[in-house]
Amino acid sequence: MDVPDIDIPDIAHIADMDVACPAFHIAIIPTPSDRGLPPIIVWPCQSIGCIARSLAARSRCDARVPGYMPSTFRVKSFRFDTPFFNATYVDNDLVIGNQDKCFVSQYYYNTATKKAVLGIDCPNLELESTRTVIQHYSLREDVVYDYSYQGTYPLIRMTVELPARKPFDLCSAFIFTDVTALPYYRIKPNNQLTADVLSKDDKLLNIFERETFFYRGPHLARHFINSVLCDFGCN
């Protein structure tokens, strides 16, 4: 197989600045690109410091960040929609735990597609809140329910795709969140109305969690990146 000439992106030289990642790595992936050539994948970094400098070199982000995540983080109110269930949810006094266990699981640049990919894994992520459920109906008013929620997610995996146009823009980037396993959870209805309708049937839980993290994942990923790697100035 002929190897095409490659133009190593200017993130690659950043690796030489860090003793923990003395050289970038190149891999030929045997999947044809839309130009008929195998894409060339470059892994420019193997350390957090190197990744942070790489992002800063290709964006307007501020590299003066704490460099770590607190073990818990509180959000006064977090609202998300679940279209499949015709409902809106509000997590009140949300506590996110084990954020300090999140880590960068992937960072590479594809010279064929001119895109960078940044992956973040969060094992045993914990969520706790008082949850308001607004159930929507056609041609009638909403009904509101309320319950307490505690859940532990074995692994939440977030993937950020950054087009190579300068500068990298985390704030407008699409972030895909994979709920790799269903959570272990406890719920407690906070009134009789909720207790009367709260279902113990989990067969649609997979759909619910994927819809939930469609909204929740980008917030988690941006919080991690802005705290640990480089601050792009958006939540």
Side-chain angles (χ1 to χ4, degrees), residues 115-120 157-165 168-178 210-211 213-219 221-222 225 234:
K115 293 179 181 179
V117 170
L118 176 64
I120 302 164
R157 172 166 288 159
M158 294 158 285
T159 301
V160 186
E161 183 179 282
L162 295 165
R165 62 179 180 273
F168 279 164
D169 184 10
L170 175 68
C171 304
S172 63
F174 180 76
I175 300 174
F176 169 69
T177 305
D178 187 9
R210 288 185 177 276
E211 289 197 339
F213 274 90
F214 180 85
Y215 292 90
R216 202 184 297 279
H219 177 265
R222 288 192 290 263
I225 293 168
C234 54

CSV table of all heavy atoms in Angstrom, one decimal, residues 115-120 157-165 168-178 210-211 213-219 221-222 225 234:
chain,number,residue,atom,x,y,z
A,115,LYS,N,-9.3,16.8,11.1
A,115,LYS,CA,-10.1,16.9,12.4
A,115,LYS,C,-9.3,16.4,13.5
A,115,LYS,O,-8.6,15.4,13.4
A,115,LYS,CB,-11.4,16.2,12.3
A,115,LYS,CG,-12.4,16.8,11.3
A,115,LYS,CD,-13.7,16.0,11.2
A,115,LYS,CE,-14.6,16.6,10.2
A,115,LYS,NZ,-15.9,15.9,10.0
A,116,ALA,N,-9.5,17.0,14.7
A,116,ALA,CA,-8.9,16.5,15.9
A,116,ALA,C,-10.0,15.8,16.7
A,116,ALA,O,-11.2,16.3,16.7
A,116,ALA,CB,-8.2,17.6,16.7
A,117,VAL,N,-9.7,14.8,17.5
A,117,VAL,CA,-10.6,14.1,18.3
A,117,VAL,C,-10.1,14.0,19.8
A,117,VAL,O,-8.9,13.6,20.0
A,117,VAL,CB,-11.0,12.7,17.8
A,117,VAL,CG1,-11.8,11.9,18.9
A,117,VAL,CG2,-11.7,12.7,16.5
A,118,LEU,N,-10.9,14.5,20.7
A,118,LEU,CA,-10.5,14.4,22.1
A,118,LEU,C,-11.5,13.6,22.9
A,118,LEU,O,-12.7,13.9,22.8
A,118,LEU,CB,-10.5,15.8,22.7
A,118,LEU,CG,-10.2,16.0,24.2
A,118,LEU,CD1,-8.8,15.5,24.5
A,118,LEU,CD2,-10.3,17.5,24.6
A,119,GLY,N,-11.1,12.5,23.5
A,119,GLY,CA,-12.0,11.7,24.3
A,119,GLY,C,-11.8,11.8,25.8
A,119,GLY,O,-10.6,11.9,26.3
A,120,ILE,N,-12.9,11.8,26.5
A,120,ILE,CA,-12.8,11.9,28.0
A,120,ILE,C,-13.7,10.8,28.6
A,120,ILE,O,-14.8,10.7,28.3
A,120,ILE,CB,-13.4,13.3,28.5
A,120,ILE,CG1,-12.6,14.4,27.8
A,120,ILE,CG2,-13.3,13.4,30.0
A,120,ILE,CD1,-13.2,15.8,27.9
A,157,ARG,N,-18.5,8.2,28.6
A,157,ARG,CA,-17.5,8.5,27.6
A,157,ARG,C,-17.9,9.6,26.7
A,157,ARG,O,-18.9,9.5,26.0
A,157,ARG,CB,-17.1,7.2,26.9
A,157,ARG,CG,-16.1,7.4,25.7
A,157,ARG,CD,-15.6,6.1,25.2
A,157,ARG,NE,-14.7,5.5,26.2
A,157,ARG,CZ,-14.3,4.3,26.3
A,157,ARG,NH1,-14.9,3.4,25.4
A,157,ARG,NH2,-13.5,3.8,27.2
A,158,MET,N,-17.1,10.7,26.7
A,158,MET,CA,-17.5,11.8,25.9
A,158,MET,C,-16.4,12.0,24.8
A,158,MET,O,-15.2,11.9,25.0
A,158,MET,CB,-17.5,13.1,26.7
A,158,MET,CG,-18.7,13.0,27.7
A,158,MET,SD,-18.5,14.1,29.2
A,158,MET,CE,-17.2,13.2,30.1
A,159,THR,N,-16.9,12.3,23.6
A,159,THR,CA,-16.0,12.4,22.4
A,159,THR,C,-16.2,13.8,21.8
A,159,THR,O,-17.4,14.1,21.4
A,159,THR,CB,-16.2,11.3,21.4
A,159,THR,OG1,-16.0,10.1,22.0
A,159,THR,CG2,-15.3,11.5,20.2
A,160,VAL,N,-15.2,14.6,21.7
A,160,VAL,CA,-15.3,16.0,21.1
A,160,VAL,C,-14.5,15.9,19.8
A,160,VAL,O,-13.4,15.5,19.7
A,160,VAL,CB,-14.6,17.0,22.1
A,160,VAL,CG1,-14.8,18.4,21.5
A,160,VAL,CG2,-15.1,16.9,23.5
A,161,GLU,N,-15.2,16.4,18.8
A,161,GLU,CA,-14.6,16.5,17.4
A,161,GLU,C,-14.4,18.0,17.1
A,161,GLU,O,-15.3,18.8,17.2
A,161,GLU,CB,-15.6,15.9,16.4
A,161,GLU,CG,-15.0,15.9,15.0
A,161,GLU,CD,-15.9,15.3,14.0
A,161,GLU,OE1,-16.0,14.0,13.9
A,161,GLU,OE2,-16.6,16.0,13.2
A,162,LEU,N,-13.1,18.3,16.8
A,162,LEU,CA,-12.7,19.7,16.6
A,162,LEU,C,-12.2,19.8,15.2
A,162,LEU,O,-11.1,19.3,14.9
A,162,LEU,CB,-11.6,20.0,17.6
A,162,LEU,CG,-12.0,20.1,19.1
A,162,LEU,CD1,-10.8,20.1,20.0
A,162,LEU,CD2,-12.9,21.3,19.4
A,163,PRO,N,-12.9,20.5,14.3
A,163,PRO,CA,-12.4,20.7,12.9
A,163,PRO,C,-11.1,21.6,13.0
A,163,PRO,O,-11.0,22.4,13.9
A,163,PRO,CB,-13.6,21.5,12.3
A,163,PRO,CG,-14.8,21.1,13.0
A,163,PRO,CD,-14.3,20.9,14.5
A,164,ALA,N,-10.2,21.4,12.1
A,164,ALA,CA,-8.9,21.9,12.2
A,164,ALA,C,-8.8,23.4,11.8
A,164,ALA,O,-7.7,24.0,11.9
A,164,ALA,CB,-7.9,21.1,11.3
A,165,ARG,N,-9.9,24.0,11.4
A,165,ARG,CA,-9.9,25.4,11.1
A,165,ARG,C,-9.4,26.2,12.4
A,165,ARG,O,-9.8,25.8,13.5
A,165,ARG,CB,-11.2,25.9,10.6
A,165,ARG,CG,-12.3,25.8,11.7
A,165,ARG,CD,-13.6,26.4,11.1
A,165,ARG,NE,-14.7,26.2,12.1
A,165,ARG,CZ,-15.5,25.2,12.2
A,165,ARG,NH1,-15.3,24.1,11.4
A,165,ARG,NH2,-16.5,25.2,13.1
A,168,PHE,N,-9.4,26.3,17.1
A,168,PHE,CA,-10.3,25.3,17.7
A,168,PHE,C,-11.4,26.0,18.4
A,168,PHE,O,-11.1,26.9,19.2
A,168,PHE,CB,-9.6,24.4,18.6
A,168,PHE,CG,-8.8,23.3,17.9
A,168,PHE,CD1,-7.8,22.6,18.6
A,168,PHE,CD2,-9.0,22.9,16.6
A,168,PHE,CE1,-7.1,21.6,18.0
A,168,PHE,CE2,-8.3,21.9,16.0
A,168,PHE,CZ,-7.4,21.2,16.7
A,169,ASP,N,-12.6,25.6,18.3
A,169,ASP,CA,-13.8,26.2,19.0
A,169,ASP,C,-14.5,25.2,19.8
A,169,ASP,O,-15.4,24.5,19.2
A,169,ASP,CB,-14.7,26.9,18.0
A,169,ASP,CG,-15.8,27.7,18.7
A,169,ASP,OD1,-15.8,27.8,19.9
A,169,ASP,OD2,-16.7,28.2,18.0
A,170,LEU,N,-14.2,25.0,21.0
A,170,LEU,CA,-14.9,24.0,21.8
A,170,LEU,C,-16.4,24.4,22.0
A,170,LEU,O,-17.2,23.5,22.1
A,170,LEU,CB,-14.2,23.9,23.2
A,170,LEU,CG,-14.9,23.0,24.3
A,170,LEU,CD1,-14.9,21.6,23.8
A,170,LEU,CD2,-14.3,23.2,25.6
A,171,CYS,N,-16.6,25.7,22.1
A,171,CYS,CA,-18.0,26.2,22.4
A,171,CYS,C,-19.0,25.8,21.4
A,171,CYS,O,-20.2,25.6,21.7
A,171,CYS,CB,-18.0,27.7,22.6
A,171,CYS,SG,-16.8,28.2,23.8
A,172,SER,N,-18.6,25.6,20.1
A,172,SER,CA,-19.6,25.2,19.1
A,172,SER,C,-19.4,23.8,18.6
A,172,SER,O,-20.1,23.3,17.7
A,172,SER,CB,-19.4,26.1,17.9
A,172,SER,OG,-18.2,26.1,17.3
A,173,ALA,N,-18.4,23.1,19.2
A,173,ALA,CA,-18.1,21.7,18.8
A,173,ALA,C,-19.2,20.7,19.2
A,173,ALA,O,-19.8,20.9,20.3
A,173,ALA,CB,-16.7,21.3,19.3
A,174,PHE,N,-19.4,19.7,18.4
A,174,PHE,CA,-20.4,18.7,18.8
A,174,PHE,C,-19.7,17.7,19.7
A,174,PHE,O,-18.5,17.3,19.5
A,174,PHE,CB,-20.9,17.9,17.6
A,174,PHE,CG,-21.9,16.8,17.9
A,174,PHE,CD1,-23.2,17.1,18.3
A,174,PHE,CD2,-21.5,15.5,18.0
A,174,PHE,CE1,-24.1,16.1,18.7
A,174,PHE,CE2,-22.4,14.5,18.3
A,174,PHE,CZ,-23.7,14.8,18.7
A,175,ILE,N,-20.4,17.3,20.8
A,175,ILE,CA,-19.8,16.4,21.8
A,175,ILE,C,-20.8,15.2,21.9
A,175,ILE,O,-21.9,15.4,22.3
A,175,ILE,CB,-19.7,17.1,23.2
A,175,ILE,CG1,-18.7,18.3,23.0
A,175,ILE,CG2,-19.1,16.1,24.2
A,175,ILE,CD1,-18.6,19.1,24.3
A,176,PHE,N,-20.3,14.1,21.5
A,176,PHE,CA,-21.1,12.8,21.6
A,176,PHE,C,-20.8,12.2,23.0
A,176,PHE,O,-19.7,12.0,23.4
A,176,PHE,CB,-20.8,11.9,20.5
A,176,PHE,CG,-21.4,10.5,20.7
A,176,PHE,CD1,-22.7,10.3,20.6
A,176,PHE,CD2,-20.6,9.4,21.0
A,176,PHE,CE1,-23.3,9.1,20.8
A,176,PHE,CE2,-21.1,8.1,21.2
A,176,PHE,CZ,-22.5,8.0,21.1
A,177,THR,N,-21.9,11.8,23.7
A,177,THR,CA,-21.7,11.2,25.0
A,177,THR,C,-22.3,9.7,24.9
A,177,THR,O,-23.5,9.5,24.6
A,177,THR,CB,-22.4,12.0,26.1
A,177,THR,OG1,-22.0,13.3,26.1
A,177,THR,CG2,-22.2,11.3,27.5
A,178,ASP,N,-21.5,8.8,25.3
A,178,ASP,CA,-21.8,7.4,25.3
A,178,ASP,C,-22.1,6.9,26.7
A,178,ASP,O,-21.1,7.0,27.5
A,178,ASP,CB,-20.7,6.5,24.6
A,178,ASP,CG,-21.1,5.1,24.4
A,178,ASP,OD1,-22.3,4.8,24.7
A,178,ASP,OD2,-20.3,4.3,24.0
A,210,ARG,N,-29.7,7.9,27.4
A,210,ARG,CA,-29.0,8.5,26.2
A,210,ARG,C,-29.6,9.9,25.9
A,210,ARG,O,-28.8,10.8,25.5
A,210,ARG,CB,-29.2,7.6,25.0
A,210,ARG,CG,-28.3,6.3,25.2
A,210,ARG,CD,-28.3,5.4,23.9
A,210,ARG,NE,-27.4,4.3,24.1
A,210,ARG,CZ,-26.1,4.3,23.9
A,210,ARG,NH1,-25.6,5.4,23.4
A,210,ARG,NH2,-25.4,3.3,24.1
A,211,GLU,N,-30.9,10.1,26.1
A,211,GLU,CA,-31.4,11.4,25.9
A,211,GLU,C,-30.9,12.4,26.9
A,211,GLU,O,-30.6,13.5,26.7
A,211,GLU,CB,-33.0,11.3,25.9
A,211,GLU,CG,-33.5,10.6,24.6
A,211,GLU,CD,-35.0,10.9,24.4
A,211,GLU,OE1,-35.7,11.3,25.4
A,211,GLU,OE2,-35.5,10.7,23.3
A,213,PHE,N,-28.1,12.3,28.6
A,213,PHE,CA,-26.7,12.7,28.5
A,213,PHE,C,-26.4,13.4,27.1
A,213,PHE,O,-25.3,13.9,26.9
A,213,PHE,CB,-25.8,11.5,28.7
A,213,PHE,CG,-25.4,11.3,30.1
A,213,PHE,CD1,-26.3,10.5,30.9
A,213,PHE,CD2,-24.3,11.9,30.7
A,213,PHE,CE1,-26.0,10.3,32.2
A,213,PHE,CE2,-24.1,11.7,32.0
A,213,PHE,CZ,-24.9,10.9,32.8
A,214,PHE,N,-27.4,13.4,26.2
A,214,PHE,CA,-27.2,14.3,25.1
A,214,PHE,C,-27.1,15.7,25.5
A,214,PHE,O,-26.4,16.5,24.9
A,214,PHE,CB,-28.5,14.1,24.1
A,214,PHE,CG,-28.4,15.0,22.9
A,214,PHE,CD1,-27.7,14.6,21.8
A,214,PHE,CD2,-29.0,16.2,22.9
A,214,PHE,CE1,-27.7,15.4,20.6
A,214,PHE,CE2,-29.0,17.1,21.8
A,214,PHE,CZ,-28.3,16.6,20.6
A,215,TYR,N,-27.8,16.1,26.6
A,215,TYR,CA,-27.7,17.4,27.2
A,215,TYR,C,-26.6,17.5,28.2
A,215,TYR,O,-25.9,18.5,28.3
A,215,TYR,CB,-29.1,17.8,27.8
A,215,TYR,CG,-30.2,18.0,26.8
A,215,TYR,CD1,-31.0,17.0,26.5
A,215,TYR,CD2,-30.4,19.3,26.3
A,215,TYR,CE1,-32.0,17.2,25.5
A,215,TYR,CE2,-31.5,19.5,25.4
A,215,TYR,CZ,-32.3,18.4,25.0
A,215,TYR,OH,-33.3,18.6,24.1
A,216,ARG,N,-26.5,16.5,29.0
A,216,ARG,CA,-25.6,16.6,30.2
A,216,ARG,C,-24.1,16.4,29.8
A,216,ARG,O,-23.3,17.0,30.4
A,216,ARG,CB,-26.0,15.4,31.2
A,216,ARG,CG,-25.5,15.6,32.6
A,216,ARG,CD,-25.9,14.4,33.4
A,216,ARG,NE,-27.3,14.1,33.6
A,216,ARG,CZ,-28.1,14.8,34.4
A,216,ARG,NH1,-27.6,15.7,35.2
A,216,ARG,NH2,-29.4,14.4,34.5
A,217,GLY,N,-23.9,15.6,28.8
A,217,GLY,CA,-22.5,15.3,28.4
A,217,GLY,C,-21.7,16.5,28.0
A,217,GLY,O,-20.5,16.7,28.4
A,218,PRO,N,-22.2,17.4,27.1
A,218,PRO,CA,-21.4,18.6,26.7
A,218,PRO,C,-21.0,19.4,27.9
A,218,PRO,O,-19.9,20.0,27.9
A,218,PRO,CB,-22.4,19.3,25.7
A,218,PRO,CG,-23.2,18.2,25.1
A,218,PRO,CD,-23.4,17.2,26.3
A,219,HIS,N,-21.9,19.6,28.8
A,219,HIS,CA,-21.6,20.4,30.0
A,219,HIS,C,-20.5,19.7,30.8
A,219,HIS,O,-19.5,20.4,31.3
A,219,HIS,CB,-22.9,20.5,30.9
A,219,HIS,CG,-22.6,21.2,32.2
A,219,HIS,ND1,-22.3,20.5,33.4
A,219,HIS,CD2,-22.7,22.5,32.5
A,219,HIS,CE1,-22.2,21.4,34.4
A,219,HIS,NE2,-22.4,22.6,33.9
A,221,ALA,N,-18.1,17.6,29.7
A,221,ALA,CA,-16.9,17.7,28.9
A,221,ALA,C,-16.3,19.1,28.9
A,221,ALA,O,-15.1,19.2,29.1
A,221,ALA,CB,-17.2,17.3,27.5
A,222,ARG,N,-17.1,20.1,28.7
A,222,ARG,CA,-16.5,21.5,28.7
A,222,ARG,C,-16.0,21.8,30.1
A,222,ARG,O,-15.0,22.5,30.2
A,222,ARG,CB,-17.6,22.4,28.3
A,222,ARG,CG,-17.9,22.4,26.8
A,222,ARG,CD,-18.7,23.5,26.3
A,222,ARG,NE,-20.1,23.5,26.8
A,222,ARG,CZ,-21.1,23.0,26.1
A,222,ARG,NH1,-20.9,22.5,24.9
A,222,ARG,NH2,-22.3,23.0,26.6
A,225,ILE,N,-12.6,20.1,30.4
A,225,ILE,CA,-11.6,20.7,29.5
A,225,ILE,C,-11.2,22.1,30.0
A,225,ILE,O,-10.0,22.4,30.1
A,225,ILE,CB,-12.1,20.8,28.1
A,225,ILE,CG1,-12.2,19.4,27.5
A,225,ILE,CG2,-11.1,21.7,27.2
A,225,ILE,CD1,-13.0,19.3,26.2
A,234,CYS,N,-16.6,28.8,27.8
A,234,CYS,CA,-18.0,28.5,27.7
A,234,CYS,C,-18.3,27.3,28.7
A,234,CYS,O,-17.5,26.5,28.9
A,234,CYS,CB,-18.4,28.2,26.3
A,234,CYS,SG,-17.4,26.9,25.5
